[in-house]
Amino acid sequence: MSRIALFASGSGSNFQVIAEAIQRGDISADIAILVCDQPDAYVIKRAEQLQIPVFSFRAKDYSSKVEFETKIVDKLREAGVDFIFLAGYMRLIGETLLRAYGGKIVNIHPSLLPAFPGKDAIGQAFNARVKITGVTVHFVDEGMDTGPIIDQESVRVAEDETRESLQEKIQKIEHTLYPRVIKNLLTKAVVEGTKK
Ligand code: GAR
């Protein structure tokens, strides 16, 4: 069974649906650890309720990204993590994590990449008045939302759409797309024997 780490910075609705899919037996994996860079984030409460171990930290308590990512890698190795899924983790992954887990880090981003990378992708798409936007799941490389795309799903922006209603639509898509992609990736990794 794969051991996965989820990384998050905020509310953790994606974390929640992934944890529930695992509990239901839809995804064959254990969430070995939640890594969170915002010790006050609601996602930590969700993890505690589900009795999932948490490593939370504040970047400003470390002298560099190398230093806090080295600590994260130690925690991941201790927990026997095979794959990392970013679920609203609002930091660029650095060389230390990429060296340790390159090719095994996946992110979900709320736009049809390569359109609207970076922060507030939903707001960027809304302000650009695009008619179609969506969600992308991709492997993480050293760039900002630039890694190879695994899957995407689109959504139409209605005439009377608001920023909030668009966010709701996008999150609804995320909550089915991400668990499905995770399930497929982990199944493929087990079949190919590349779990680690
Ligand atoms: C999600 O919409 C995710 O796509 C986005 O953060 C949100 C987290 O929501 N991620 C990014 O923008 C990454 N660049 P959640 O905390 O409710 O899962």
Side-chain angles (χ1 to χ4, degrees):
M1 172 124 40
S2 301
R3 290 181 66 74
I4 67 173
L6 296 182
F7 283 34
S9 305
S11 146
S13 69
N14 282 282
F15 170 87
Q16 185 79 34
V17 294
I18 295 162
E20 285 169 4
I22 288 173
Q23 274 183 338
R24 281 197 308 275
D26 282 357
I27 300 173
S28 166
D30 280 329
I31 303 179
I33 192 165
L34 166 72
V35 174
C36 180
D37 63 335
Q38 303 290 337
D40 301 325
Y42 186 61
V43 68
I44 293 180
K45 294 209 171 55
R46 296 185 193 263
E48 284 168 356
Q49 254 161 26
L50 294 164
Q51 298 184 327
I52 291 168
V54 175
F55 172 59
S56 71
F57 68 99
R58 285 186 204 280
K60 66 175 171 52
D61 293 340
Y62 294 82
S63 62
S64 66
K65 180 174 283 204
V66 170
E67 200 185 303
F68 69 71
E69 286 200 342
T70 300
K71 180 85 188 233
I72 293 174
V73 169
D74 287 348
K75 294 279 176 190
L76 299 180
R77 293 228 160 104
E78 270 172 35
V81 166
D82 306 306
F83 291 94
I84 299 171
F85 295 99
L86 310 184
Y89 182 69
M90 296 305 190
R91 266 177 203 285
L92 201 57
I93 297 294
E95 59 190 62
T96 309
L97 267 163
L98 281 171
R99 216 178 299 122
Y101 282 92
K104 304 225 162 109
I105 310 176
V106 171
N107 181 41
I108 188 160
H109 184 78
S111 74
L112 291 178
L113 290 172
F116 311 121
K119 290 216 171 100
D120 191 22
I122 299 172
Q124 290 185 55
F126 183 74
N127 293 334
R129 296 171 187 264
V130 295
K131 298 295 179 197
I132 292 175
T133 182
V135 177
T136 302
V137 179
H138 65 97
F139 286 109
V140 172
D141 66 8
E142 62 290 344
M144 169 80 84
D145 303 319
T146 50
I149 291 171
I150 301 167
D151 206 350
Q152 291 184 305
E153 212 166 302
S154 61
V155 65
R156 216 161 222 295
V157 183
E159 285 299 325
D160 61 351
E161 201 78 69
T162 62
R163 162 82 180 65
E164 290 67 36
S165 64
L166 184 57
Q167 175 152 348
E168 265 176 45
K169 281 182 177 173
I170 295 255
Q171 287 233 297
K172 198 161 169 228
I173 292 174
E174 292 187 335
H175 294 165
T176 56
L177 180 66
Y178 211 10
R180 192 169 70 234
V181 170
I182 291 174
K183 177 183 178 148
N184 290 343
L185 277 175
L186 296 182
T187 307
K188 202 163 158 245
V190 168
V191 169
E192 291 173 354
T194 58
K195 196 165 75 70
K196 186 133 195 198

